[in-house]
Amino acid sequence: MNITELARKLKITTKELKQKLPELGFDIGMKAIKVDEQIAQKIIQAWPELIKKFKKIETKEEKEEIKPKEEAIITIPPFITVHDFASSLNLPPAKVISELIKNGVLANINERIDYEIAAIVAEDLGFKVKKGTEEVEIKEKKREEIKKLIKKENKSKLILRPPVVAVMGHVDHGKTKLLDAIRETNVADKETGGITQHIGAYQIKKKERVITFIDTPGHEAFKTMRTRGGEVADIVVLVIAADEGIKPQTLESIKIIQEEKLPFLIAINKIDKPEADTERVKKELSEINLMPEDWGGKTICLKISAKTKEGLDELLEMILLLTDLEKEQLLVDPAQEPIGTVIEAHLDKNEGPVATVLIQAGTLKIKNLVVVGGIYGGTQGKIKALKDFQNQPIKRATPGMPVKILGLKKVPKTGDILQGLENIKELKRKIKEIKIKQTSTPVEIQTKSSSKEEKVKFLNIILRTDVLGSQEAISGALENIKHPEIKINIIKKGLGNILETDILRAETITQRGDKVWIVGFHVIASPQIITLAKEKNIEIKTYKIIYELIEDVKNELVKLLEPERIKTELGKVEVIALFRKEKNYQIVGGKIKEGRVLKDALAEIYRKEKIINKGIIKQLQITRQDVGEARAGSECGLKIEGQNLNIQMGDVLEIYQEEERIKKLED
């Protein structure tokens, strides 16, 4: 019998049949065209039992697959993405997502989960867990992975690659202007608001030697992107404005430099300004244990002006000197398979998935086969095009070079490791594993709400950005906005322009009576989408500057907060006379025992120390004269408005004022 006909009778594809038969004891090869008629009939008769047997094999394999090594211990940081969590467990993301679902959490591969959730899942799978203080463990793992991939056995083939220099510092201290001066370009003016929104990677030449620069954003919301710049850098130039000194992002950059144990130098910029004070900057550095060289310390400090280009030659020469001191770390083999790190990625409507990769060893060429982000949760492809930092086509990318690559199946994660494979069979094997084990569709994050969370108000956000780096930065900044009564819930993230599916997703949220925004950063909504949003009464907000986005979200959250009612006690009055009683008010006489009474103040009516009603003092008299205030010791007449007051002799009126105060978000 023809094997295709047999597969059709069994309602299975020919390929699957060929794969299953050997595992079930039938010696049928993958290239077989026909099956002996008697054997074919046996297979048909026994097929239901054979399928049960095969499913048992699959189940057994799955159990063995997720069984951790004995005494396996993993360290989990306070927050971790599902991708990195699965990588730590050495399991496919599909398995981890399945376990999360069992615990009431739906999360896609790029969503972050907290330590408590991750620990429960890990322990269910048989791992022992300890809590990490930061995401240092993941960085170390990636760093070790890159070290293993970079080959240095053949010392005769090793070359000194260009150093990668990260330029860090506080917003508007002149980082991008410095690179402009070095490259004699005008990148800063192209950035919205003059603030670097993405990581830029550029190369220059000094004394016939190439230096790679990475410009990292300075605004506080870009912490994750700044950290990434530190992860791939060999040397850091920390820019401090001479007229402003050390600022919060300066301190954060110093923390990253110290954590990564990177060699660095200080560039004191804007020395051309009249208010520049370099000695003050050095004093501030000395106060945080960074003693300048000319003060007897070890911290290299250079005075520069990105505007006049003063001190730039000395800066570049010092970078080359530090490079020579770090020479052993920068020796790589350009002939090995290419290794690199993704520093930026986005989805382009014309080019498809695009990634900016810093090549750390080997040489990446057009038509190279690559895997990015590993087998589980990563992507792969064949390099269709390479472009340098000036967006010019090139044929190869050598060590130390930042390069834009086209040809990946999907957008990789920033920080993912790119690995080139010369062996096609090896790539096909990896691709096959990905297709079998990788989850097919991401799901949106939704967690079971606790009884405490039922009182919390949510601002639901559908977030769309141009690149992953911006998405991470915005998500991180929004997560830092905290208040016990309100919460930001990012229900969906995506790259590229706002789509109809986003409007429909938002509509389902508004139908439940919840607030939802569609937020776009450096993306657009077409006229058709805007019209649909208006029809559905959905708010679309688009931004080009991140801190404007964050500020608008904060303002909207404040509107959701219930105003705080502040009660100020004024005094106490004992009722000593009853004059008149109507449906909506009562006139009484009283003696002020303590404090004071104000017209239009509020009154709580107590009888035998138990509150029985409330009212408002609409008229206050002393000796039949209207007054605005009466103090302790006085006798007064009071007209109190309220429903069914029924005030009696001996009752006590506790007088107070109440004001509404708008609550603020936590700093």
Side-chain angles (χ1 to χ4, degrees):
M1 182 184 290
N2 190 299
I3 198 163
T4 306
E5 184 185 348
L6 176 60
R8 191 163 52 248
K9 287 186 177 183
L10 298 175
K11 296 180 181 179
I12 191 172
T13 67
T14 306
K15 187 177 178 181
E16 286 177 314
L17 181 61
K18 288 180 179 179
Q19 287 174 341
K20 283 182 169 64
L21 289 175
E23 295 179 50
L24 296 168
F26 293 93
D27 189 17
I28 307 294
M30 289 298 289
K31 294 183 180 180
I33 298 172
K34 291 189 175 182
V35 180
D36 183 83
E37 191 68 34
Q38 289 183 340
I39 293 174
Q41 291 304 321
K42 284 183 180 179
I43 293 171
I44 292 169
Q45 291 172 8
W47 188 248
E49 290 300 317
L50 292 174
I51 282 297
K52 287 181 184 177
K53 181 181 176 183
F54 186 76
K55 284 183 177 177
K56 284 181 181 178
I57 292 170
E58 278 187 326
T59 305
K60 185 180 177 183
E61 285 176 350
E62 284 179 3
K63 286 180 179 177
E64 288 174 354
E65 183 182 358
I66 66 171
K67 187 178 179 181
K69 293 178 183 178
E70 194 172 343
E71 296 298 316
I73 301 175
I74 61 165
T75 303
I76 301 173
F79 293 94
I80 187 170
T81 65
V82 174
H83 173 275
D84 290 334
F85 182 42
S87 180
S88 298
L89 299 175
N90 197 26
L91 296 176
K95 296 290 181 189
V96 175
I97 289 170
S98 175
E99 290 298 318
L100 286 168
I101 290 169
K102 290 178 186 176
N103 285 278
V105 179
L106 295 180
N108 69 31
I109 199 168
N110 294 318
E111 294 286 356
R112 295 209 311 168
I113 55 175
D114 60 28
Y115 169 79
E116 285 71 22
I117 292 171
I120 290 168
V121 171
E123 287 171 359
D124 286 348
L125 292 169
F127 290 85
K128 289 189 175 181
V129 178
K130 67 175 183 178
K131 188 173 184 178
T133 53
E134 295 179 12
E135 296 186 35
V136 175
E137 294 78 13
I138 296 170
K139 291 182 191 176
E140 287 296 331
K141 187 175 180 181
K142 287 186 177 179
R143 197 177 286 117
E144 288 302 316
E145 188 178 343
I146 290 173
K147 282 182 181 178
K148 288 177 184 177
L149 293 171
I150 295 176
K151 298 172 183 175
K152 296 193 177 186
E153 293 83 3
N154 194 339
K155 296 193 180 295
S156 62
K157 289 186 178 180
L158 299 183
I159 63 164
L160 183 67
R161 68 165 171 79
V164 178
V165 181
V167 182
M168 294 184 170
H170 189 76
V171 63
D172 199 32
H173 274 204
K175 300 178 299 299
T176 308
K177 284 287 186 185
L178 170 60
L179 286 171
D180 287 346
I182 292 171
R183 296 180 294 117
E184 294 185 345
T185 60
N186 198 19
V187 172
D189 289 346
K190 296 175 187 176
E191 292 283 1
T192 307
I195 299 170
T196 305
Q197 303 283 332
H198 308 127
I199 287 183
Y202 322 99
Q203 286 192 309
I204 62 103
K205 273 191 177 182
K206 175 69 176 176
K207 293 183 177 179
E208 299 305 312
R209 293 174 67 179
V210 177
I211 303 172
T212 300
F213 282 94
I214 297 178
D215 181 17
T216 62
H219 188 266
E220 62 179 352
F222 287 92
K223 181 178 178 180
T224 52
M225 295 174 74
R226 234 181 350 265
T227 304
R228 192 176 312 118
E231 286 178 6
V232 295
D234 304 307
I235 297 166
V236 174
V237 173
L238 180 61
V239 179
I240 304 175
D243 60 331
E244 292 191 18
I246 292 175
K247 294 289 182 180
Q249 277 74 58
T250 315
L251 294 170
E252 188 186 286
S253 295
I254 291 169
K255 183 182 177 185
I256 292 167
I257 291 165
Q258 291 173 337
E259 284 176 355
E260 300 294 323
K261 299 176 182 177
L262 293 167
F264 70 99
L265 58 88
I266 307 288
I268 303 176
N269 191 25
K270 302 187 180 183
I271 60 171
D272 55 284
K273 298 185 79 170
E275 57 270 36
D277 188 348
T278 57
E279 292 304 303
R280 188 192 72 171
V281 175
K282 290 179 182 179
K283 181 177 181 294
E284 290 177 349
L285 287 168
S286 67
E287 288 171 354
I288 56 172
N289 297 319
L290 293 177
M291 189 69 71
E293 280 185 324
D294 57 346
W295 284 29
K298 296 181 180 180
T299 303
I300 303 167
C301 292
L302 300 174
K303 300 176 186 179
I304 67 163
S305 169
K307 185 176 180 180
T308 65
K309 299 186 181 179
E310 182 182 346
L312 297 195
D313 283 338
E314 292 86 345
L315 175 65
L316 295 175
E317 286 173 7
M318 187 58 69
I319 288 170
L320 292 177
L321 178 61
L322 287 175
T323 301
D324 292 335
L325 294 173
E326 298 292 317
K327 185 176 180 180
E328 287 300 314
Q329 305 296 324
L330 306 182
L331 290 172
V332 294
D333 183 356
Q336 74 159 85
E337 65 275 7
I339 303 298
T341 300
V342 176
I343 59 174
E344 190 53 273
H346 67 279
L347 185 65
D348 188 277
K349 64 178 180 180
N350 297 318
E351 297 176 322
V354 177
T356 301
V357 178
L358 184 68
I359 304 301
Q360 289 158 290
T363 302
L364 185 65
K365 304 171 188 174
I366 293 174
K367 295 184 180 179
N368 271 169
L369 302 165
V370 296
V371 171
V372 184
I375 295 173
Y376 301 130
T379 184
Q380 72 285 329
K382 186 176 184 180
I383 302 299
K384 293 179 181 177
L386 297 171
K387 295 183 181 181
D388 65 13
F389 69 92
Q390 293 174 318
N391 212 35
Q392 296 300 310
I394 55 174
K395 292 183 178 179
R396 61 181 62 204
T398 53
M401 181 183 287
V403 62
K404 188 164 85 170
I405 65 171
L406 280 68
L408 298 177
K409 299 291 184 185
K410 65 177 184 178
V411 179
K413 284 181 61 186
T414 46
D416 277 353
I417 296 168
L418 174 143
Q419 183 178 1
L421 296 173
E422 297 292 338
N423 189 320
I424 295 175
K425 288 182 180 179
E426 178 68 9
L427 180 60
K428 285 182 177 179
R429 184 185 67 79
K430 286 182 178 288
I431 291 171
K432 184 180 176 182
E433 287 184 33
I434 292 169
K435 286 181 177 177
I436 292 170
K437 296 175 181 177
Q438 188 180 4
T439 181
S440 56
T441 20
V443 265
E444 293 169 10
I445 186 162
Q446 293 175 339
T447 57
K448 287 182 177 179
S449 61
S450 65
S451 57
K452 288 183 180 179
E453 286 184 334
E454 287 174 3
K455 296 180 181 178
V456 175
K457 290 186 178 180
F458 287 92
L459 174 58
N460 298 287
I461 287 178
I462 293 172
L463 178 63
R464 282 206 163 265
T465 62
D466 55 341
V467 295
L468 273 175
S470 298
Q471 189 180 99
E472 290 176 2
I474 293 167
S475 298
L478 294 178
E479 285 170 3
N480 286 331
I481 301 172
K482 296 176 181 177
H483 194 281
E485 295 176 28
I486 51 173
K487 187 176 180 182
I488 292 172
N489 186 23
I490 302 176
I491 57 174
K492 185 179 179 184
K493 300 177 189 176
L495 296 179
N497 292 333
I498 296 164
L499 303 175
E500 183 180 347
T501 53
D502 299 326
I503 306 296
L504 299 177
R505 180 75 180 93
E507 185 184 22
T508 62
I509 302 296
T510 56
Q511 285 173 348
R512 299 201 309 250
D514 293 334
K515 182 81 175 176
V516 62
W517 273 11
I518 296 176
V519 175
F521 182 73
H522 276 274
V523 298
I524 62 169
S526 68
Q528 294 89 342
I529 294 297
I530 292 171
T531 301
L532 180 63
K534 286 180 179 177
E535 289 174 0
K536 305 287 186 182
N537 200 26
I538 303 298
E539 285 190 80
I540 295 178
K541 306 275 187 177
T542 56
Y543 301 88
K544 290 187 177 180
I545 298 178
I546 194 168
Y547 58 77
E548 290 180 358
L549 185 160
I550 303 302
E551 200 60 35
D552 276 5
V553 171
K554 284 183 176 179
N555 291 337
E556 185 63 26
L557 288 174
V558 169
K559 292 177 186 176
L560 294 176
L561 287 171
E562 292 289 341
E564 187 178 8
R565 302 190 73 85
I566 307 298
K567 182 179 179 181
T568 305
E569 294 183 356
L570 297 175
K572 291 183 180 180
V573 178
E574 182 183 353
V575 177
I576 57 175
L578 303 174
F579 297 117
R580 185 174 177 179
K581 181 181 175 184
E582 298 291 342
K583 183 179 179 182
N584 297 323
Y585 71 89
Q586 190 169 353
I587 298 174
V588 300
K591 184 169 184 177
I592 303 172
K593 293 292 188 180
E594 58 183 74
R596 58 186 179 139
V597 179
L598 297 178
K599 183 189 173 186
D600 294 323
L602 301 171
E604 289 179 338
I605 304 158
Y606 283 84
R607 186 173 299 152
K608 295 180 181 179
E609 298 184 350
K610 184 179 178 182
I611 187 169
I612 59 168
N613 212 330
K614 291 182 180 181
I616 181 170
I617 299 169
K618 296 305 291 183
Q619 192 175 2
L620 179 65
Q621 290 186 344
I622 296 179
T623 63
R624 298 188 179 183
Q625 297 292 317
D626 286 342
V627 295
E629 179 180 352
R631 293 187 171 270
S634 304
E635 291 186 359
C636 59
L638 303 100
K639 180 182 179 181
I640 304 171
E641 287 188 357
Q643 295 293 321
N644 304 315
L645 291 176
N646 193 29
I647 300 171
Q648 296 179 12
M649 295 280 289
D651 287 350
V652 175
L653 310 179
E654 292 199 359
I655 313 301
Y656 66 98
Q657 285 181 321
E658 208 171 58
E659 62 176 329
E660 286 189 353
R661 187 178 298 170
I662 296 173
K663 294 178 183 175
K664 295 182 180 180
L665 298 174
E666 295 177 11
D667 293 329

